[in-house]
Amino acid sequence: MADTGVPIGSTDAMIELPEPMPSKQRFVVLDTLRGYAAIVIVLYHYKAVRPLFASYLAVDFFLILSGFVLTHAYFSQPNFRFWPFVQARFARLYPLHLLTLITSAGVYLLVGRYLDKSDFLLHALMIHNIGIGPDSIEFNSPSWSISVEFWVNVALGGALLWCLPSLKSRWIRWGVLLGVSYLAFIVLALHAGHLNAVEDNVVPLVNAGLLRGLASFCIGIVIYELFVFVKPKLDAAGYRLISRLTPVVIVLFVMSLLNPAVETAADFLYIPFFAGVVFLAAFERGVGVAQLGRFAYLGSISFALYLVHRPIQQFFVHILDGTGGLAAEMGLSLVVIFAAAHLAHRYFELPMNRLVKRLLERGGHVLRRQFRRY
């Protein structure tokens, strides 16, 4: 983040306004919040403590944050190109998804659970939980949102490139995106009555999880554009207000995921709250807010945490078979989960991301040469 000459968190009257945001800026406070949300999801998947956490809502926070971050990294750039974006998203999401899918299938075989080959194929093609086939959350259950995120990314990437630019007014563009989000949430509310809708199709070929992802992602795009629009217009009083609000909102966010998991229509009230959390935390101002950046590595490994934890938990449930109780199960498996997430991020996720991206770029060049020949 550009140096403004004023410590982050200062509420003094004389505040030097920040310079325009660099395109490669990392939002380290948002990284930390993403890491916290991933940890809560890990805890949610221990059956004995699941009722204590409303962490299924953390997925909606992830999706709003994803819309925000991808708009910053890709959609807002003047040289945005669709196919390189799709390749980058595939290279980012697919390798670790495939690895954890294979691991989960191995655990299934180990514990003697039935392995549905057609369902496995849908997962392997990353088209599970979008409306094709049974759309069950078997195998590595958290991966439902990986499928949703990829295909929502593709759909909105194309819309932002070919359709929405014709809407010259940002207000109309925001209206369209928020309108799509509102309609999707209305359908979910009528269909399920809460946000924890994942498996069933709302209509043929449109899964509830897909609608949930589309709605949250659209909000993330608007929040980023609003952030960029508002930031240069803020005066000292505006920054003082943000500095006072942000720590309070972050504390409320932390507490909101620790509430008992009760699926009700009140779930939908979390969506504007999460949008506000992302918007305010992006400024990285307020007492104690800057210090959250020290834990940004949790955000770096959050994707690995999200995908590796479930098969490890299932493995320990089978191996321990109740020996030592919940303390032994959680104590041992959490150590392995965090170690595996660190190793997977550093030695698999990052290098495979680079490798797959290079292979896709090379394959694209070969195909273009072949098309020119004919």
Side-chain angles (χ1 to χ4, degrees), residues 198-215:
V198 176
E199 296 184 61
D200 49 325
N201 283 4
V202 176
V203 296
L205 301 180
V206 178
N207 179 261
L210 186 66
L211 280 182
R212 188 176 168 190
L214 176 65

Side-chain angles (χ1 to χ4, degrees), residues 84-195:
F85 165 71
V86 172
Q87 291 171 358
R89 294 309 293 155
F90 182 84
R92 172 76 175 89
L93 298 174
Y94 188 73
L96 191 57
H97 162 65
L98 181 61
L99 175 65
T100 53
L101 170 61
I102 293 171
T103 304
S104 297
V107 172
Y108 266 43
L109 295 174
L110 175 68
V111 303
R113 289 187 61 178
Y114 172 68
L115 196 157
D116 188 319
K117 296 181 179 61
S118 61
D119 200 16
F120 180 86
L121 180 61
L122 291 177
H123 282 70
L125 295 175
M126 211 159 58
I127 56 175
H128 59 297
N129 283 98
I130 62 172
I132 301 172
D135 286 318
S136 63
I137 53 172
E138 296 297 318
F139 302 109
N140 191 14
S141 57
S143 74
W144 74 265
S145 67
I146 305 306
S147 169
V148 163
E149 180 167 352
F150 177 75
W151 292 106
V152 167
N153 290 174
V154 171
L156 284 176
L160 288 166
L161 183 63
W162 292 304
C163 302
L164 292 181
S166 62
L167 305 175
K168 301 300 182 184
S169 167
R170 72 164 57 88
W171 303 104
I172 296 176
R173 185 169 67 252
W174 294 355
V176 170
L177 288 167
L178 291 177
V180 169
S181 177
Y182 179 77
L183 287 174
F185 280 130
I186 287 292
V187 172
L188 281 176
L190 294 173
H191 176 75
H194 55 80
L195 269 177

